[in-house]
Amino acid sequence: MPLLIKNGQITTATDQFVGDILCEGETIAAIGPDLAAPADAEVVDATGKYVFPGFIDPHVHIYLPFMGTHSKDDYDSGSRAALVGGTTTLIEMCCPSRQDEPLEAFELWLSQASGKSACDYSFHMGVSRFDAGVEAQLRTIVDRGIASFKVFLAYKGAFGIDDNELYHTLRLAKELGVIVTAHCENAELVAETQAKLIAAGKTGPEWHEKSRPACVEAEGVHHLCTFAEMLGTHVYIVHTSNADAIQAAIAARRRGVQVWIETVAPYLVLDASHAEQPNFEGAKYVMSPPLRPLPHQDAIWNALADRTISTIATDHAPFDFHGQKEMGRDDFTKIPNGIPSIEDRINLAYTYGVKRGRIDLQTFVDACSTQAAKIFGLYPRKGTIAVGSDADLVVYDPDYRSTISQRTQLMNVDYSAFEGWEIEGRPSVVTVRGKIQVRDGKFVGKLGHGLLLQRKPGHL
Ligand code: URP
Ligand code: ZN
Ligand code: ZN
């Protein structure tokens, strides 16, 4: 059935005007004033509301075996939570361990989403070992529509790779035209500092940030960018948390390195003091890189406002407080890392970014949708509102008022890091390829509607 969205403030990364959008089949068929509704069309009145392109979260973990446990969401809860939060496309990190074969891992991650996800999806292919066999499998995975790799410089002994593996991953990526996303923290510095703190009896979550301070992340960014400089590979720094890391990336850019910067929702609104809360409450706020002292938050907002930072993702990594975070009660290094926010990213960025005057609407759309589409080979199919683009649309109600709570969230986790926080707006209608998946802020869609998106390397 055609869908006509009438009278919305159509808002992209570059434009804003009042108009109508006609969706036919899976794509946008027409945009303009006073479009006539086809006889069989459903009409959505968007008067007084924004119409944004479907938001893209380019860094999530849905299926994640990690730190002796598994993340809590699956594509049932995760994609529904994404959609009510306005996110219509997920790019998940496929994270094999060093022992796993990449193709088997890719099939495993794909099987979690395929036929289940309510929103569209793709993967960054994790490289946690590099040898000739891995190289051959990575070539096959790229042929199957995956145009980005993921490496971890952190997590020594788990996902982390050594410099020789980093070199050959970036060499292959350059040859294939694949962008490499990277978790940048120096693994040795983290491991040694953690051991020193634990030996000194400093075992609580408040020590997590001290075990991997800003300079450790900045070193990781510099390290990655030096390899990228030598090899000419395009790189993307995930979950950038602080001013020093941003400066390291800017310095690399000045040397000609093609480097993009991502930040994630928790760093925009939370800070190191949250992980210092008593009675182990701080464990809810343990992620890596850690939440930083407050001044870094301003640096991140400023770097978003001037578009030094390209994207706002979530790094959604959901672990329960009870039973999972509690594994680290006597040792902060055993707290599963992650702060769930797949459902909250857009409302947080809108409320605490746009409404507080830290970023404008165009930057908000650019950082939460358009840039991810451009960087990861989905544009203009995704990331904008244009004739021929997928009809992924978010009708956003700026008059809605509520508070975030674990009791009402769809994320399958037993706490919210934003419990009681006010939001000033929410997605009221969300479509994925022309199909209404959210109505009046509630999921009304179909699990399994989501598709694996084909991406071609060499687009940048
Ligand atoms: O704390 C985090 N970030 N958990 C998920 C794994 C990762 O490093 O992205
Ligand atoms: Zn990471
Ligand atoms: Zn992550």
Side-chain angles (χ1 to χ4, degrees):
M1 186 204 290
L3 175 68
L4 183 64
I5 299 180
K6 283 206 75 69
N7 256 325
Q9 282 275 349
I10 298 170
T11 307
T12 68
T14 48
D15 294 307
Q16 192 173 358
F17 55 92
V18 175
D20 304 344
I21 301 173
L22 177 64
C23 311
E24 280 179 339
E26 299 200 331
T27 56
I28 296 172
I31 303 168
D34 302 321
L35 295 181
D40 53 345
E42 169 165 4
V43 179
V44 169
D45 180 9
T47 306
K49 300 190 172 75
Y50 295 112
V51 185
F52 297 126
F55 293 106
I56 300 170
D57 191 337
H59 182 170
V60 300
H61 303 273
I62 304 292
Y63 174 72
L64 181 64
F66 185 47
M67 297 184 75
T69 186
H70 278 75
S71 54
K72 281 294 303 298
D73 274 314
D74 57 16
Y75 269 87
D76 179 334
S77 57
S79 68
R80 285 186 294 121
L83 281 165
V84 300
T87 295
T88 53
T89 297
L90 299 175
I91 311 184
E92 186 184 3
M93 300 294 175
C94 174
C95 294
S97 73
R98 276 185 85 78
Q99 294 74 38
D100 296 335
E101 292 304 325
L103 255 173
E104 280 173 18
F106 177 63
E107 296 293 359
L108 174 61
W109 258 260
L110 186 57
S111 73
Q112 307 294 315
S114 177
K116 292 180 201 151
S117 182
C119 63
D120 286 349
Y121 55 91
S122 180
F123 299 93
H124 303 296
M125 186 61 216
V127 182
S128 46
R129 181 180 94 239
F130 198 96
D131 54 35
V134 166
E135 175 166 342
Q137 294 176 58
L138 291 174
R139 288 177 187 275
T140 304
I141 290 164
V142 171
D143 285 344
R144 290 181 60 180
I146 300 302
S148 45
F149 294 158
K150 167 71 185 288
V151 294
F152 290 92
L153 306 190
Y155 305 133
K156 191 169 145 71
F159 303 130
I161 54 173
D162 66 27
D163 279 353
N164 185 268
E165 293 168 317
L166 177 63
Y167 182 91
H168 286 288
T169 304
L170 265 60
R171 173 192 55 75
L172 178 66
K174 169 68 180 169
E175 181 200 319
L176 298 177
V178 159
I179 186 167
V180 178
T181 70
H183 177 138
C184 295
E185 289 181 297
N186 184 297
E188 293 297 336
L189 289 171
V190 173
E192 293 296 334
T193 315
Q194 283 181 334
K196 197 168 76 183
L197 288 166
I198 295 296
K202 296 172 174 173
T203 59
E206 68 275 21
W207 295 101
H208 176 67
E209 202 274 336
K210 276 98 186 155
S211 74
R212 45 213 310 155
C215 62
V216 168
E217 187 181 341
E219 194 285 334
V221 172
H222 176 70
H223 197 88
L224 176 84
C225 288
T226 305
F227 280 66
E229 187 174 358
M230 295 290 286
L231 289 156
T233 316
H234 294 157
V235 290
Y236 174 94
I237 317 288
V238 300
H239 49 38
T240 308
S241 73
N242 72 81
D244 309 44
I246 294 169
Q247 286 309 319
I250 291 172
R253 260 183 207 162
R254 292 204 179 110
R255 301 194 304 273
V257 179
Q258 299 284 317
V259 52
W260 286 262
I261 309 174
E262 168 195 280
T263 192
V264 296
Y267 303 142
L268 296 175
V269 289
L270 302 170
D271 63 80
S273 68
H274 288 89
E276 291 165 6
Q277 291 177 33
N279 305 321
F280 199 61
E281 280 290 299
K284 295 176 179 172
Y285 299 92
V286 166
M287 67 174 292
S288 293
L291 300 174
R292 301 299 184 189
L294 202 49
H296 289 290
Q297 206 180 81
D298 279 341
I300 288 180
W301 282 114
N302 292 340
L304 272 168
D306 70 14
R307 312 236 181 153
T308 299
I309 292 179
S310 296
T311 55
I312 302 173
T314 56
D315 193 14
H316 178 69
F319 297 102
D320 278 343
F321 178 70
H322 297 291
Q324 291 190 302
K325 294 275 186 187
E326 279 176 340
M327 289 159 56
R329 204 171 258 287
D330 301 322
D331 178 346
F332 71 86
T333 69
K334 297 190 167 57
I335 300 169
N337 287 197
I339 300 178
S341 62
I342 203 169
E343 195 166 343
D344 305 314
R345 173 180 68 128
I346 297 306
N347 291 334
L348 289 171
Y350 180 77
T351 303
Y352 297 96
V354 177
K355 292 284 286 184
R356 300 290 181 273
R358 285 161 152 156
I359 53 173
D360 61 24
L361 268 175
Q362 268 61 52
T363 304
F364 164 72
V365 174
D366 202 34
C368 296
S369 178
T370 312
Q371 282 300 318
K374 288 184 170 171
I375 295 166
F376 295 117
L378 293 168
Y379 189 85
R381 178 176 179 187
K382 308 286 191 189
T384 193
I385 299 175
V387 172
S389 294
D390 279 359
D392 295 358
L393 297 165
V394 176
V395 179
Y396 197 85
D397 181 357
D399 295 324
Y400 181 81
R401 294 290 178 273
S402 188
T403 51
I404 296 173
S405 174
Q406 188 274 336
R407 289 186 303 285
T408 50
Q409 72 191 9
L410 297 183
M411 297 182 291
N412 183 28
V413 67
D414 69 357
Y415 77 101
S416 168
F418 316 103
E419 189 68 40
W421 287 42
E422 290 181 2
I423 50 163
E424 300 177 14
R426 73 156 180 192
S428 61
V429 172
V430 179
T431 68
V432 178
R433 283 177 286 103
K435 189 170 181 332
I436 292 182
Q437 295 286 73
V438 171
R439 212 185 272 278
D440 290 328
K442 305 275 178 298
F443 180 76
V444 295
K446 211 172 115 235
L447 290 171
H449 176 66
L451 287 181
L452 172 67
L453 299 169
Q454 291 296 311
R455 299 187 287 129
K456 279 200 176 58
H459 58 282
L460 284 168

